Amino acid sequence: MVLAGATLPPLAFLVDTIGGARVATTTMVPAGPAPESYEPSVRELERLATSRLFVRVGLDWPLEVRHLEPLLDRDSGIQVISLDRCTEPGDAALDPHPWTSPRVMACAAGAVAEALVALDPGGAAEFRSNLERFRAEVTALDTEIRKHFAAAASRTLVVVHPAWGYFARDYGLEQQALEVDGKEPSPRRMVELVDLARAAGARTVFVQRGFADTSARALAREIGAEVLIADPLAYDWLENLRITSNLFATALGAPP
């Protein structure tokens, strides 16, 4: 049994999907809290210290810089996989949410499989079979999503927290976020967003659990839009991305 850790539920899903019954994964940030402000407990850090594999987004988040980095040095014996390796140059510094991209997750899955083979050679055939199955499912989902957006009337997603930048990049969309540097929008920014949302024909404003939604609801009232939840932190990454992409497609006026 390989003990593994992951910063977020979608990354834990990735490890569990590739590792199957041969891994036991601990998630550092549970569902609900905003990852940027979450503080892991001493017990959670102790569980991480016993891990042999750790999957993270990168070192941009305060969570990881302050609490996880000392446990992940060269002498720790923990194999670290960062999704940064699967992003394009400069992306990670701008947007710490690369797991919303199917392309990034397919790449990261290969790195997870390689690490698990090194840690548990007896499970190599199972890990590689799981990887092949996962990548096939990602390819099918990617094709499905592209079809959804091909006939969309609008290309602009209006969101509270800018968590969908990589997803938007993959599918030729534009993300407009109310949050600016982790803060509520200024009155001037709100006026800009009202104009942008109206010009784009936005019919939905997407909020996220753990983040303030007062401004989002005010914007929705101003432009006559509905408010829906788009959760980038759900554990079942594949199913959640399928559900969320359907919500986005409907919001952007794609035909059913």
Side-chain angles (χ1 to χ4, degrees):
M1 177 72 67
V2 176
L3 299 181
T7 45
L8 302 168
L11 305 188
F13 171 81
L14 183 64
V15 178
D16 291 342
T17 298
I18 304 303
R22 301 181 77 98
V23 302
T25 310
T26 295
T27 306
M28 300 305 299
V29 181
E36 288 83 348
S37 59
Y38 179 72
E39 297 286 346
S41 67
V42 172
R43 180 174 296 181
E44 288 167 333
L45 294 173
E46 288 174 346
R47 284 203 300 266
L48 171 60
T50 65
S51 298
R52 300 177 64 200
L53 172 67
F54 187 71
V55 182
R56 66 184 182 189
V57 171
L59 292 177
D60 287 337
W61 288 3
L63 162 71
E64 295 178 304
V65 172
R66 278 192 254 133
H67 299 286
L68 303 185
E69 190 174 7
L71 294 176
L72 302 174
D73 60 28
R74 294 180 182 178
D75 299 326
S76 68
I78 302 175
Q79 288 203 33
V80 179
I81 292 172
S82 172
L83 267 64
D84 292 358
R85 73 173 68 182
C86 295
T87 63
E88 296 174 358
D91 277 350
L94 299 174
D95 185 345
H97 308 88
W99 70 90
T100 61
S101 163
R103 184 170 67 194
V104 169
M105 287 292 268
C107 169
V112 169
E114 290 174 7
L116 288 174
V117 169
L119 293 169
D120 180 11
E126 179 179 348
F127 301 146
R128 288 170 178 148
S129 175
N130 291 342
L131 172 63
E132 184 177 347
R133 185 182 306 111
F134 176 74
R135 282 182 164 169
E137 291 175 332
V138 172
T139 297
L141 177 58
D142 177 68
T143 300
E144 179 183 325
I145 293 173
R146 291 186 187 282
K147 287 181 180 178
H148 283 162
F149 291 123
S154 174
R155 313 302 293 179
T156 303
L157 288 173
V158 181
V159 300
V160 166
H161 182 66
W164 298 96
Y166 286 87
F167 181 92
R169 178 203 64 187
D170 282 2
Y171 299 107
L173 308 177
E174 179 186 3
Q175 174 184 246
Q176 288 290 344
L178 278 79
E179 208 179 78
V180 180
D181 295 328
K183 301 175 182 178
E184 289 278 291
S186 66
R188 180 177 179 180
R189 175 60 176 163
M190 279 294 289
V191 171
E192 292 176 351
L193 284 167
V194 168
D195 291 342
L196 285 168
R198 282 177 174 159
R203 302 183 299 184
T204 307
V205 178
F206 289 95
V207 298
Q208 182 177 332
R209 293 182 181 89
F211 291 84
D213 63 2
T214 303
S215 295
R217 295 188 181 280
L219 174 63
R221 286 194 299 271
E222 185 68 23
I223 65 174
E226 64 178 337
V227 176
L228 295 177
I229 294 174
D231 184 8
L233 297 174
Y235 170 77
D236 190 337
W237 177 83
L238 270 169
E239 182 60 19
N240 183 61
L241 203 65
R242 180 177 288 109
I243 291 170
T244 304
S245 66
N246 284 334
L247 288 175
F248 286 164
T250 299
L252 298 182

Short mmCIF file of all heavy atoms in Angstrom, two decimals, residues 25-80:
data_model
loop_
_atom_site.label_atom_id
_atom_site.label_comp_id
_atom_site.label_asym_id
_atom_site.label_seq_id
_atom_site.Cartn_x
_atom_site.Cartn_y
_atom_site.Cartn_z
N THR A 25 -4.97 7.67 0.10
CA THR A 25 -4.67 9.08 -0.13
C THR A 25 -5.28 9.98 0.93
O THR A 25 -6.45 9.84 1.28
CB THR A 25 -5.18 9.52 -1.52
OG1 THR A 25 -4.72 8.60 -2.51
CG2 THR A 25 -4.70 10.92 -1.85
N THR A 26 -4.49 10.91 1.41
CA THR A 26 -4.94 11.94 2.33
C THR A 26 -5.05 13.26 1.59
O THR A 26 -4.13 13.65 0.87
CB THR A 26 -3.95 12.11 3.50
OG1 THR A 26 -3.92 10.91 4.27
CG2 THR A 26 -4.37 13.27 4.41
N THR A 27 -6.18 13.94 1.74
CA THR A 27 -6.38 15.25 1.12
C THR A 27 -6.12 16.33 2.16
O THR A 27 -6.70 16.32 3.24
CB THR A 27 -7.81 15.40 0.59
OG1 THR A 27 -8.10 14.31 -0.29
CG2 THR A 27 -7.97 16.71 -0.17
N MET A 28 -5.24 17.28 1.83
CA MET A 28 -4.89 18.33 2.77
C MET A 28 -6.02 19.34 2.96
O MET A 28 -6.32 19.76 4.06
CB MET A 28 -3.62 19.06 2.32
CG MET A 28 -2.40 18.17 2.19
SD MET A 28 -2.04 17.25 3.70
CE MET A 28 -1.74 18.58 4.86
N VAL A 29 -6.66 19.75 1.87
CA VAL A 29 -7.74 20.74 1.95
C VAL A 29 -9.06 20.03 1.70
O VAL A 29 -9.32 19.57 0.59
CB VAL A 29 -7.56 21.86 0.90
CG1 VAL A 29 -8.69 22.88 1.03
CG2 VAL A 29 -6.21 22.54 1.06
N PRO A 30 -9.92 19.90 2.71
CA PRO A 30 -11.20 19.23 2.51
C PRO A 30 -12.14 20.08 1.68
O PRO A 30 -11.89 21.26 1.43
CB PRO A 30 -11.72 19.05 3.94
CG PRO A 30 -11.12 20.19 4.69
CD PRO A 30 -9.76 20.40 4.08
N ALA A 31 -13.24 19.48 1.25
CA ALA A 31 -14.23 20.22 0.49
C ALA A 31 -14.82 21.32 1.37
O ALA A 31 -15.08 21.11 2.54
CB ALA A 31 -15.33 19.28 0.01
N GLY A 32 -15.00 22.50 0.81
CA GLY A 32 -15.63 23.59 1.56
C GLY A 32 -14.77 24.82 1.70
O GLY A 32 -15.07 25.86 1.13
N PRO A 33 -13.64 24.75 2.46
CA PRO A 33 -12.85 25.97 2.68
C PRO A 33 -12.20 26.47 1.40
O PRO A 33 -11.92 25.70 0.49
CB PRO A 33 -11.79 25.52 3.69
CG PRO A 33 -12.30 24.25 4.27
CD PRO A 33 -13.13 23.61 3.21
N ALA A 34 -11.95 27.77 1.36
CA ALA A 34 -11.18 28.34 0.27
C ALA A 34 -9.73 27.89 0.43
O ALA A 34 -9.13 28.13 1.48
CB ALA A 34 -11.27 29.86 0.28
N PRO A 35 -9.13 27.23 -0.55
CA PRO A 35 -7.77 26.70 -0.40
C PRO A 35 -6.73 27.75 -0.07
O PRO A 35 -5.78 27.48 0.66
CB PRO A 35 -7.49 26.08 -1.78
CG PRO A 35 -8.82 25.79 -2.35
CD PRO A 35 -9.73 26.88 -1.85
N GLU A 36 -6.91 28.97 -0.61
CA GLU A 36 -5.91 30.00 -0.39
C GLU A 36 -5.77 30.40 1.07
O GLU A 36 -4.72 30.90 1.49
CB GLU A 36 -6.23 31.24 -1.24
CG GLU A 36 -6.01 31.06 -2.73
CD GLU A 36 -7.16 30.40 -3.43
OE1 GLU A 36 -8.06 29.87 -2.76
OE2 GLU A 36 -7.19 30.40 -4.68
N SER A 37 -6.82 30.19 1.85
CA SER A 37 -6.78 30.61 3.26
C SER A 37 -6.82 29.44 4.24
O SER A 37 -6.76 29.64 5.45
CB SER A 37 -7.95 31.55 3.56
OG SER A 37 -9.19 30.91 3.30
N TYR A 38 -6.89 28.22 3.72
CA TYR A 38 -7.00 27.06 4.61
C TYR A 38 -5.70 26.79 5.34
O TYR A 38 -4.61 26.87 4.76
CB TYR A 38 -7.40 25.82 3.81
CG TYR A 38 -7.51 24.58 4.66
CD1 TYR A 38 -8.57 24.44 5.54
CD2 TYR A 38 -6.55 23.59 4.60
CE1 TYR A 38 -8.68 23.32 6.34
CE2 TYR A 38 -6.65 22.46 5.40
CZ TYR A 38 -7.72 22.32 6.26
OH TYR A 38 -7.81 21.22 7.05
N GLU A 39 -5.80 26.46 6.62
CA GLU A 39 -4.63 26.15 7.44
C GLU A 39 -4.70 24.69 7.87
O GLU A 39 -5.58 24.31 8.65
CB GLU A 39 -4.60 27.05 8.68
CG GLU A 39 -4.45 28.53 8.38
CD GLU A 39 -3.06 28.90 7.94
OE1 GLU A 39 -2.15 28.07 8.11
OE2 GLU A 39 -2.88 30.01 7.41
N PRO A 40 -3.81 23.83 7.39
CA PRO A 40 -3.85 22.42 7.79
C PRO A 40 -3.50 22.25 9.26
O PRO A 40 -2.72 23.03 9.82
CB PRO A 40 -2.80 21.77 6.89
CG PRO A 40 -1.87 22.87 6.54
CD PRO A 40 -2.70 24.11 6.46
N SER A 41 -4.08 21.24 9.87
CA SER A 41 -3.82 20.97 11.28
C SER A 41 -2.50 20.23 11.44
O SER A 41 -1.93 19.70 10.46
CB SER A 41 -4.95 20.13 11.87
OG SER A 41 -4.94 18.83 11.28
N VAL A 42 -2.03 20.15 12.67
CA VAL A 42 -0.80 19.40 12.95
C VAL A 42 -0.99 17.94 12.58
O VAL A 42 -0.09 17.31 12.02
CB VAL A 42 -0.44 19.53 14.45
CG1 VAL A 42 0.72 18.61 14.80
CG2 VAL A 42 -0.09 20.98 14.79
N ARG A 43 -2.17 17.39 12.86
CA ARG A 43 -2.43 15.98 12.52
C ARG A 43 -2.34 15.76 11.01
O ARG A 43 -1.80 14.75 10.56
CB ARG A 43 -3.81 15.57 13.04
CG ARG A 43 -4.17 14.12 12.73
CD ARG A 43 -5.47 13.72 13.39
NE ARG A 43 -5.36 13.75 14.84
CZ ARG A 43 -6.36 13.43 15.66
NH1 ARG A 43 -7.54 13.08 15.17
NH2 ARG A 43 -6.18 13.48 16.97
N GLU A 44 -2.88 16.70 10.23
CA GLU A 44 -2.82 16.56 8.77
C GLU A 44 -1.38 16.60 8.28
O GLU A 44 -0.99 15.84 7.38
CB GLU A 44 -3.66 17.66 8.12
CG GLU A 44 -5.15 17.45 8.27
CD GLU A 44 -5.96 18.67 7.91
OE1 GLU A 44 -5.44 19.80 8.03
OE2 GLU A 44 -7.12 18.50 7.54
N LEU A 45 -0.58 17.47 8.86
CA LEU A 45 0.83 17.55 8.47
C LEU A 45 1.57 16.28 8.88
O LEU A 45 2.48 15.82 8.18
CB LEU A 45 1.47 18.78 9.09
CG LEU A 45 0.94 20.13 8.57
CD1 LEU A 45 1.53 21.27 9.38
CD2 LEU A 45 1.24 20.29 7.10
N GLU A 46 1.19 15.70 10.00
CA GLU A 46 1.81 14.45 10.43
C GLU A 46 1.48 13.32 9.46
O GLU A 46 2.33 12.48 9.16
CB GLU A 46 1.35 14.09 11.84
CG GLU A 46 1.93 14.99 12.93
CD GLU A 46 1.34 14.70 14.30
OE1 GLU A 46 0.30 14.00 14.36
OE2 GLU A 46 1.91 15.18 15.30
N ARG A 47 0.23 13.29 8.98
CA ARG A 47 -0.15 12.27 7.99
C ARG A 47 0.65 12.45 6.71
O ARG A 47 1.08 11.48 6.08
CB ARG A 47 -1.65 12.35 7.70
CG ARG A 47 -2.52 11.77 8.79
CD ARG A 47 -3.88 11.37 8.26
NE ARG A 47 -4.62 12.49 7.69
CZ ARG A 47 -5.48 13.22 8.37
NH1 ARG A 47 -5.71 12.95 9.65
NH2 ARG A 47 -6.12 14.21 7.79
N LEU A 48 0.85 13.70 6.32
CA LEU A 48 1.65 13.95 5.12
C LEU A 48 3.08 13.45 5.29
O LEU A 48 3.67 12.90 4.37
CB LEU A 48 1.66 15.45 4.80
CG LEU A 48 2.63 15.88 3.69
CD1 LEU A 48 2.29 15.17 2.39
CD2 LEU A 48 2.60 17.38 3.50
N ALA A 49 3.62 13.62 6.47
CA ALA A 49 5.01 13.22 6.72
C ALA A 49 5.22 11.72 6.54
O ALA A 49 6.35 11.27 6.32
CB ALA A 49 5.43 13.64 8.12
N THR A 50 4.14 10.93 6.63
CA THR A 50 4.25 9.48 6.43
C THR A 50 4.01 9.07 4.99
O THR A 50 4.11 7.90 4.65
CB THR A 50 3.26 8.73 7.34
OG1 THR A 50 1.92 9.05 6.94
CG2 THR A 50 3.46 9.10 8.79
N SER A 51 3.67 10.04 4.13
CA SER A 51 3.38 9.73 2.73
C SER A 51 4.65 9.45 1.94
O SER A 51 5.74 9.92 2.29
CB SER A 51 2.64 10.90 2.08
OG SER A 51 1.39 11.13 2.70
N ARG A 52 4.50 8.69 0.86
CA ARG A 52 5.61 8.42 -0.05
C ARG A 52 5.44 9.16 -1.37
O ARG A 52 6.37 9.23 -2.17
CB ARG A 52 5.74 6.92 -0.29
CG ARG A 52 5.99 6.13 0.99
CD ARG A 52 6.04 4.65 0.71
NE ARG A 52 7.16 4.31 -0.15
CZ ARG A 52 7.23 3.17 -0.86
NH1 ARG A 52 6.23 2.31 -0.83
NH2 ARG A 52 8.28 2.93 -1.61
N LEU A 53 4.23 9.67 -1.60
CA LEU A 53 3.92 10.41 -2.83
C LEU A 53 3.04 11.59 -2.46
O LEU A 53 2.14 11.47 -1.63
CB LEU A 53 3.18 9.50 -3.82
CG LEU A 53 2.61 10.17 -5.08
CD1 LEU A 53 3.73 10.67 -5.99
CD2 LEU A 53 1.71 9.19 -5.84
N PHE A 54 3.33 12.75 -3.06
CA PHE A 54 2.52 13.93 -2.80
C PHE A 54 2.28 14.67 -4.10
O PHE A 54 3.21 14.95 -4.86
CB PHE A 54 3.23 14.85 -1.80
CG PHE A 54 2.38 16.01 -1.36
CD1 PHE A 54 1.30 15.82 -0.54
CD2 PHE A 54 2.67 17.30 -1.80
CE1 PHE A 54 0.50 16.89 -0.13
CE2 PHE A 54 1.88 18.37 -1.39
CZ PHE A 54 0.79 18.16 -0.56
N VAL A 55 1.01 14.99 -4.37
CA VAL A 55 0.63 15.69 -5.59
C VAL A 55 0.10 17.07 -5.20
O VAL A 55 -0.81 17.19 -4.37
CB VAL A 55 -0.45 14.91 -6.37
CG1 VAL A 55 -0.80 15.65 -7.66
CG2 VAL A 55 0.05 13.51 -6.70
N ARG A 56 0.65 18.10 -5.82
CA ARG A 56 0.29 19.47 -5.47
C ARG A 56 0.18 20.30 -6.75
O ARG A 56 0.60 19.89 -7.83
CB ARG A 56 1.34 20.08 -4.56
CG ARG A 56 2.69 20.25 -5.23
CD ARG A 56 3.74 20.77 -4.26
NE ARG A 56 5.02 20.98 -4.93
CZ ARG A 56 6.13 21.26 -4.28
NH1 ARG A 56 6.13 21.34 -2.98
NH2 ARG A 56 7.25 21.44 -4.95
N VAL A 57 -0.33 21.50 -6.58
CA VAL A 57 -0.42 22.42 -7.71
C VAL A 57 0.91 23.12 -7.93
O VAL A 57 1.39 23.22 -9.04
CB VAL A 57 -1.54 23.46 -7.49
CG1 VAL A 57 -1.49 24.54 -8.55
CG2 VAL A 57 -2.89 22.76 -7.50
N GLY A 58 1.53 23.59 -6.89
CA GLY A 58 2.78 24.33 -7.02
C GLY A 58 3.07 25.07 -5.73
O GLY A 58 2.45 24.79 -4.71
N LEU A 59 3.96 26.02 -5.77
CA LEU A 59 4.35 26.74 -4.56
C LEU A 59 3.80 28.15 -4.51
O LEU A 59 4.28 28.98 -3.75
CB LEU A 59 5.88 26.77 -4.45
CG LEU A 59 6.52 25.41 -4.19
CD1 LEU A 59 8.04 25.55 -4.18
CD2 LEU A 59 6.05 24.82 -2.87
N ASP A 60 2.78 28.43 -5.30
CA ASP A 60 2.22 29.77 -5.31
C ASP A 60 1.30 30.03 -4.11
O ASP A 60 1.07 31.16 -3.72
CB ASP A 60 1.42 30.03 -6.59
CG ASP A 60 2.33 30.20 -7.80
OD1 ASP A 60 3.49 30.55 -7.60
OD2 ASP A 60 1.85 29.98 -8.90
N TRP A 61 0.72 28.96 -3.55
CA TRP A 61 -0.28 29.16 -2.52
C TRP A 61 0.37 29.30 -1.15
O TRP A 61 1.28 28.57 -0.79
CB TRP A 61 -1.23 27.98 -2.49
CG TRP A 61 -2.16 27.95 -3.66
CD1 TRP A 61 -2.17 28.82 -4.70
CD2 TRP A 61 -3.19 27.01 -3.89
NE1 TRP A 61 -3.15 28.48 -5.59
CE2 TRP A 61 -3.79 27.36 -5.12
CE3 TRP A 61 -3.67 25.91 -3.20
CZ2 TRP A 61 -4.85 26.66 -5.64
CZ3 TRP A 61 -4.71 25.21 -3.74
CH2 TRP A 61 -5.30 25.58 -4.94
N PRO A 62 -0.12 30.22 -0.31
CA PRO A 62 0.39 30.35 1.06
C PRO A 62 0.32 29.04 1.83
O PRO A 62 1.19 28.72 2.61
CB PRO A 62 -0.54 31.41 1.68
CG PRO A 62 -1.01 32.21 0.50
CD PRO A 62 -1.15 31.24 -0.62
N LEU A 63 -0.74 28.27 1.60
CA LEU A 63 -0.89 26.97 2.26
C LEU A 63 0.36 26.13 2.10
O LEU A 63 0.88 25.57 3.05
CB LEU A 63 -2.10 26.23 1.65
CG LEU A 63 -2.18 24.72 1.89
CD1 LEU A 63 -2.51 24.45 3.35
CD2 LEU A 63 -3.19 24.08 0.98
N GLU A 64 0.86 26.06 0.88
CA GLU A 64 1.99 25.17 0.60
C GLU A 64 3.32 25.80 1.01
O GLU A 64 4.20 25.11 1.52
CB GLU A 64 2.00 24.82 -0.88
CG GLU A 64 0.78 24.00 -1.25
CD GLU A 64 0.74 23.66 -2.72
OE1 GLU A 64 0.80 24.59 -3.54
OE2 GLU A 64 0.66 22.47 -3.03
N VAL A 65 3.46 27.08 0.81
CA VAL A 65 4.73 27.73 1.15
C VAL A 65 4.99 27.66 2.64
O VAL A 65 6.08 27.32 3.09
CB VAL A 65 4.73 29.20 0.68
CG1 VAL A 65 5.96 29.92 1.21
CG2 VAL A 65 4.70 29.26 -0.84
N ARG A 66 3.97 27.96 3.45
CA ARG A 66 4.16 28.06 4.88
C ARG A 66 4.21 26.71 5.59
O ARG A 66 4.91 26.56 6.56
CB ARG A 66 3.03 28.89 5.49
CG ARG A 66 3.26 30.38 5.37
CD ARG A 66 2.27 31.13 6.23
NE ARG A 66 1.27 31.74 5.36
CZ ARG A 66 -0.01 31.66 5.58
NH1 ARG A 66 -0.49 30.99 6.60
NH2 ARG A 66 -0.86 32.26 4.78
N HIS A 67 3.44 25.75 5.11
CA HIS A 67 3.26 24.55 5.90
C HIS A 67 3.77 23.27 5.25
O HIS A 67 4.13 22.33 5.95
CB HIS A 67 1.77 24.37 6.24
CG HIS A 67 1.21 25.49 7.04
ND1 HIS A 67 1.50 25.65 8.37
CD2 HIS A 67 0.42 26.53 6.71
CE1 HIS A 67 0.88 26.72 8.83
NE2 HIS A 67 0.22 27.27 7.84
N LEU A 68 3.78 23.21 3.95
CA LEU A 68 4.11 21.95 3.31
C LEU A 68 5.54 21.88 2.80
O LEU A 68 6.14 20.81 2.80
CB LEU A 68 3.15 21.70 2.13
CG LEU A 68 1.66 21.70 2.48
CD1 LEU A 68 0.84 21.33 1.26
CD2 LEU A 68 1.37 20.73 3.61
N GLU A 69 6.08 23.01 2.39
CA GLU A 69 7.40 22.99 1.78
C GLU A 69 8.47 22.34 2.67
O GLU A 69 9.28 21.54 2.18
CB GLU A 69 7.83 24.41 1.37
CG GLU A 69 9.08 24.42 0.51
CD GLU A 69 9.41 25.82 0.01
OE1 GLU A 69 8.73 26.78 0.44
OE2 GLU A 69 10.32 25.95 -0.80
N PRO A 70 8.50 22.63 4.00
CA PRO A 70 9.55 21.99 4.83
C PRO A 70 9.48 20.47 4.84
O PRO A 70 10.49 19.80 5.08
CB PRO A 70 9.27 22.57 6.22
CG PRO A 70 8.57 23.83 5.98
CD PRO A 70 7.71 23.59 4.78
N LEU A 71 8.27 19.94 4.60
CA LEU A 71 8.12 18.48 4.61
C LEU A 71 8.47 17.85 3.28
O LEU A 71 8.52 16.63 3.16
CB LEU A 71 6.68 18.12 4.97
CG LEU A 71 6.23 18.48 6.39
CD1 LEU A 71 4.76 18.15 6.57
CD2 LEU A 71 7.07 17.75 7.42
N LEU A 72 8.68 18.67 2.26
CA LEU A 72 8.85 18.15 0.91
C LEU A 72 10.24 18.41 0.36
O LEU A 72 10.44 18.47 -0.84
CB LEU A 72 7.80 18.78 -0.02
CG LEU A 72 6.35 18.55 0.40
CD1 LEU A 72 5.41 19.33 -0.50
CD2 LEU A 72 6.00 17.08 0.39
N ASP A 73 11.22 18.56 1.24
CA ASP A 73 12.58 18.81 0.77
C ASP A 73 13.20 17.52 0.23
O ASP A 73 12.61 16.45 0.28
CB ASP A 73 13.44 19.44 1.86
CG ASP A 73 13.57 18.55 3.10
OD1 ASP A 73 13.47 17.32 2.96
OD2 ASP A 73 13.76 19.09 4.19
N ARG A 74 14.42 17.63 -0.26
CA ARG A 74 15.05 16.48 -0.93
C ARG A 74 15.27 15.29 0.00
O ARG A 74 15.33 14.16 -0.45
CB ARG A 74 16.40 16.93 -1.52
CG ARG A 74 16.26 17.94 -2.64
CD ARG A 74 17.63 18.33 -3.16
NE ARG A 74 17.53 19.33 -4.21
CZ ARG A 74 18.60 19.87 -4.81
NH1 ARG A 74 19.81 19.53 -4.45
NH2 ARG A 74 18.43 20.77 -5.76
N ASP A 75 15.40 15.55 1.28
CA ASP A 75 15.71 14.47 2.22
C ASP A 75 14.46 13.82 2.80
O ASP A 75 14.57 12.91 3.62
CB ASP A 75 16.57 15.02 3.37
CG ASP A 75 17.90 15.57 2.87
OD1 ASP A 75 18.43 15.00 1.89
OD2 ASP A 75 18.39 16.56 3.44
N SER A 76 13.28 14.27 2.40
CA SER A 76 12.07 13.75 3.02
C SER A 76 11.73 12.34 2.56
O SER A 76 11.05 11.60 3.24
CB SER A 76 10.88 14.67 2.70
OG SER A 76 10.55 14.60 1.32
N GLY A 77 12.19 11.97 1.37
CA GLY A 77 11.85 10.66 0.82
C GLY A 77 10.49 10.63 0.15
O GLY A 77 10.05 9.59 -0.35
N ILE A 78 9.79 11.77 0.12
CA ILE A 78 8.48 11.85 -0.52
C ILE A 78 8.66 12.25 -1.99
O ILE A 78 9.30 13.24 -2.29
CB ILE A 78 7.58 12.89 0.18
CG1 ILE A 78 7.41 12.55 1.66
CG2 ILE A 78 6.22 12.96 -0.50
CD1 ILE A 78 6.64 13.60 2.44
N GLN A 79 8.08 11.45 -2.89
CA GLN A 79 8.10 11.83 -4.31
C GLN A 79 7.02 12.89 -4.54
O GLN A 79 5.85 12.67 -4.22
CB GLN A 79 7.84 10.62 -5.20
CG GLN A 79 9.00 9.64 -5.24
CD GLN A 79 8.96 8.79 -6.50
OE1 GLN A 79 8.52 9.23 -7.56
NE2 GLN A 79 9.42 7.55 -6.38
N VAL A 80 7.43 14.03 -5.06
CA VAL A 80 6.51 15.15 -5.25
C VAL A 80 6.20 15.33 -6.73
O VAL A 80 7.10 15.36 -7.57
CB VAL A 80 7.11 16.45 -4.69
CG1 VAL A 80 6.15 17.62 -4.92
CG2 VAL A 80 7.42 16.30 -3.21
#
